[in-house]
Amino acid sequence: MPVFTEQRCYDRIKMIKASNISFAYNESTRFDFPDIECPPKASCLIIGKSGVGKTTLLHILGGVLKPDQGSVLIGDADLSKLDGTKLDKYRGKNIGIVFQKPHFISSLNILENLLLTQNLAGVRMSKSDILMVLKSLEIEDRAYSKPSKLSQGELQRASVARAVMNQPKLILADEPTSALDDESCEQVLHLLQNTAREMGAALVIVTHDGRLKELIDHQIVLS
Amino acid sequence: MNNLILTWKNLIHRPLSLLLNVLLFALGVGLISLLIQVNTQLKEQFDRNQADINMVVGAKGSPLQMILSSMYHIDNPTGNINIGEAKPFLNPQHPYLKTSIPLSLGDSYQKYRIIGTTPEFVELYSAEISEGRLWEQAFDVVIGMAVAESSDLKIGSEFNSSHGFNDDEGMEHEHHTQFKVVGILEPSGSVIDQLILTSPNTIWAVHEHDHATDTISNILDNQELMKYEDKDITTILIQFKNAKSVPALNMPRAINENTDLLAANPVYEINRLYAMVGVGAETLRYLAFILIAVSAFSVFISLYNSLKDRKYELAVMRVLGGGRGRLFSMIILEGLLIALLGTLLGLVLAHVGMFFVAKGMEGAYRYSFTGSRFFIEEAYLVLGAMIIGILAALIPAIMAARTEIHSTLNH
């Protein structure tokens, strides 16, 4: 019963709630996005073909891009009310993003990259925390390797490690599986879902990868 | 993972580019540091050896050569002058002259010059006896500290001199009396440290082999010297009672026009020398500034190019919470760190280099140079280099701070 109660409790708080969002690059390229809600520990899939503004939406949800209209609430924080350094710090601390291509600081090894992740977000740096996360993602043996020495799959895992490092409220993933084979695809998805669940974070995946449709029920289609 | 460590890791990630930039910076800074060291020490040396001498009187020839040979003891004398002719300037009763000190040059021991002079010469350079006493008898000599330290001479040593200023065994005088060291001077930092001092008649005795001069009682002042009108000396170092008075100002010109003697003003001649060799130093200085400008440009290009390679990294740093200020300061710090490393390397090279150059310069300039002294100008040099490092990184830093996450990651 307590588990059930906890679940219901989470259900009532929407970890992320985006409403009435629109964004225009110019007069001819204008996106009006559907409203998006996702509770903690849950996953939400945003699917659409290329050019429908998937990455644009992801960046708006991640506080990287300001929408022309609409609001993005993460927990009880309104992103549109944050600016400049405050927004940078909030993003670093509360939003973890997994990019399609995992970009790391090439001069630093994985451990140092993750230390930097903590430092940039203003979180206390802890080597043991990092090693724990790396261990749970089964890449702890690559902690002292430079990013260029890691395989694509390992980089994707390191990327997940970076996204969850600061125990964010929201994990955003941009095409995390498009470069992977079926087996890895499912593995990475479970990795993201499990981690999000453990952290109590909401997981929003933006993709055109049809394989994920069968694995996540909550879907929003962009057109 | 603070900015300093990150900056350092970023720099050593491109070791060749770092090496090139640091070396370029080091060359520019090192060259300037070397110029500062040589110029300052040389100027100090010239100033100290000037010993408030207002005028030098000697044989006709090049005034600069006379000054260099009589005051700095580099270069050869212009010739000798007859005491009879020079008598007015040796006279202690002369109304305008405060001090006049005769010098007889022409001999040396090893590479050190032997000067026949009066004990007043020691006072002129404010030197003091460290060991023994001043010369009293003919063939008594007092040696400077540098002579004592690098030759085998000590109190009581006896030696023969060589004719001329080259250490040449074939030119050694075979005189029945040998020079005898009776005193050693305290180090004064001036040219006197490098000299061997004796009385004028000792020099005559060495050169005139009829031994006629052996009977002369040892000359210790000008009154005594003036008695030997047919003998020669090389130059007279003169201090005026009032160097700014009209007779004093006119005296060199009057001597040059009306006598067979040459009179020269050391300050004027040395300034002329600075003006001549200064062109070389000036050229080197410009070269150093060009080197620094090129290294600044090289730092700029390196950072600018590395930003292109790192644009995703910078965007990711922004996503992870790095503000624009953080990215700006990171790139500025990279420029600053390159400048700092280059400057440190440059200073080390210049001072170690100076240490090695010093030995050779000592022989040429009769002065001990050192690489272990740091000058205030070098502090300005360090400060200037830091500012240049920051300026070189400024545009790349602004570009880094302007990184737009969305447009960078969205293609």
Side-chain angles (χ1 to χ4, degrees), chain A residues 25 55 59 64-65 88-89 91-92 97 99 103-108 112 116-117 119-121 125 162, chain B residues 1-2 6 9-10 13-14 312-313 316-324 326 405-406 409-411:
Chain A
Y25 286 99
T55 301
H59 284 178
V64 165
L65 195 63
D88 289 334
K89 278 278 171 280
R91 184 173 57 234
I97 306 181
F99 297 100
H103 297 291
F104 283 88
I105 313 292
S106 53
S107 61
L108 304 179
E112 290 163 343
L116 181 66
T117 302
N119 178 248
L120 286 172
M125 288 191 275
R162 181 168 64 189
Chain B
M1 194 44 52
N2 58 35
L6 177 61
K9 298 254 177 189
N10 276 333
H13 191 59
R14 296 168 183 80
Y312 292 112
E313 297 185 7
V316 164
M317 280 182 72
R318 295 267 294 115
V319 170
L320 294 175
R324 297 183 187 279
R326 174 87 191 243
I405 310 169
H406 175 65
L409 294 177
N410 195 25
H411 68 264

Side-chain angles (χ1 to χ4, degrees), chain B residues 25-264:
Chain B
F25 238 101
L27 279 179
V29 169
L31 189 54
I32 292 182
S33 161
L34 204 59
L35 284 173
I36 290 173
Q37 293 181 73
V38 172
N39 269 351
T40 317
Q41 297 190 50
L42 207 56
K43 217 172 162 61
E44 277 176 1
Q45 166 70 352
F46 271 117
D47 290 347
R48 208 171 308 160
N49 286 346
Q50 199 168 311
D52 295 325
I53 296 165
N54 304 123
M55 182 173 78
V56 179
V57 174
K60 286 270 189 237
S62 150
L64 179 58
Q65 187 186 346
M66 179 176 69
I67 298 289
L68 289 177
S69 64
S70 305
M71 288 177 55
Y72 302 102
H73 300 277
I74 46 184
D75 211 343
N76 293 318
T78 47
N80 280 341
I81 53 174
N82 191 263
I83 291 180
E85 204 170 355
K87 211 169 159 182
F89 310 106
L90 288 169
N91 190 347
Q93 313 301 321
H94 194 293
Y96 301 128
L97 307 187
K98 186 171 91 182
T99 334
S100 60
I101 299 167
L103 298 187
S104 282
L105 307 177
D107 269 31
S108 62
Y109 174 70
Q110 292 182 353
K111 57 181 180 170
Y112 299 104
R113 296 185 176 200
I114 301 173
I115 316 290
T117 184
T118 56
E120 233 183 322
F121 185 79
V122 178
E123 287 166 36
L124 184 68
Y125 289 97
S126 319
E128 276 169 31
I129 283 284
S130 142
E131 225 185 302
R133 54 175 171 83
L134 285 175
W135 60 99
E136 284 163 10
Q137 308 297 321
F139 287 95
D140 280 359
V141 299
V142 166
I143 62 177
M145 193 49 101
V147 183
E149 277 170 359
S150 68
S151 73
D152 48 0
L153 297 180
K154 44 186 180 292
I155 302 272
S157 301
E158 296 194 348
F159 62 93
N160 277 317
S161 64
S162 302
H163 189 62
F165 298 132
N166 299 320
D167 184 17
D168 184 349
E169 277 187 26
M171 299 295 275
E172 199 169 295
H173 286 289
E174 292 288 334
H175 199 265
H176 59 99
T177 318
Q178 287 195 308
F179 290 97
K180 187 180 172 198
V181 180
V182 298
I184 298 173
L185 295 172
E186 291 274 7
S188 69
S190 69
V191 73
I192 200 168
D193 294 353
Q194 316 249 0
L195 298 176
I196 298 173
L197 307 174
T198 187
S199 57
N201 50 297
T202 306
I203 304 289
W204 301 338
V206 174
H207 288 109
E208 292 163 22
H209 295 279
D210 57 0
H211 304 306
T213 47
D214 289 8
T215 55
I216 295 177
S217 64
N218 201 35
I219 298 169
L220 294 172
D221 59 42
N222 290 2
Q223 288 288 17
E224 194 65 29
L225 185 71
M226 281 157 65
K227 290 181 192 161
Y228 302 94
E229 291 194 9
D230 55 336
K231 296 284 183 198
D232 286 346
I233 52 172
T234 309
T235 47
I236 309 170
L237 306 180
I238 288 167
Q239 288 180 328
F240 291 123
K241 282 182 177 149
N242 180 358
K244 296 262 174 357
S245 68
V246 176
L249 290 171
N250 285 333
M251 199 179 289
R253 193 162 46 89
I255 293 170
N256 289 333
E257 283 174 4
N258 304 324
T259 69
D260 286 336
L261 302 174
L262 172 70

Side-chain angles (χ1 to χ4, degrees), chain A residues 109-112 114-115 118 125-145 161 165:
Chain A
N109 65 32
I110 297 299
L111 178 68
E112 290 163 343
L114 295 177
L115 282 169
Q118 294 176 325
M125 288 191 275
S126 159
K127 207 165 128 179
S128 56
D129 286 0
I130 294 170
L131 291 173
M132 224 154 71
V133 172
L134 289 179
K135 191 173 180 179
S136 71
L137 293 169
E138 293 168 8
I139 48 167
E140 62 184 317
D141 56 327
R142 308 314 306 255
Y144 296 94
S145 304
M165 200 60 247

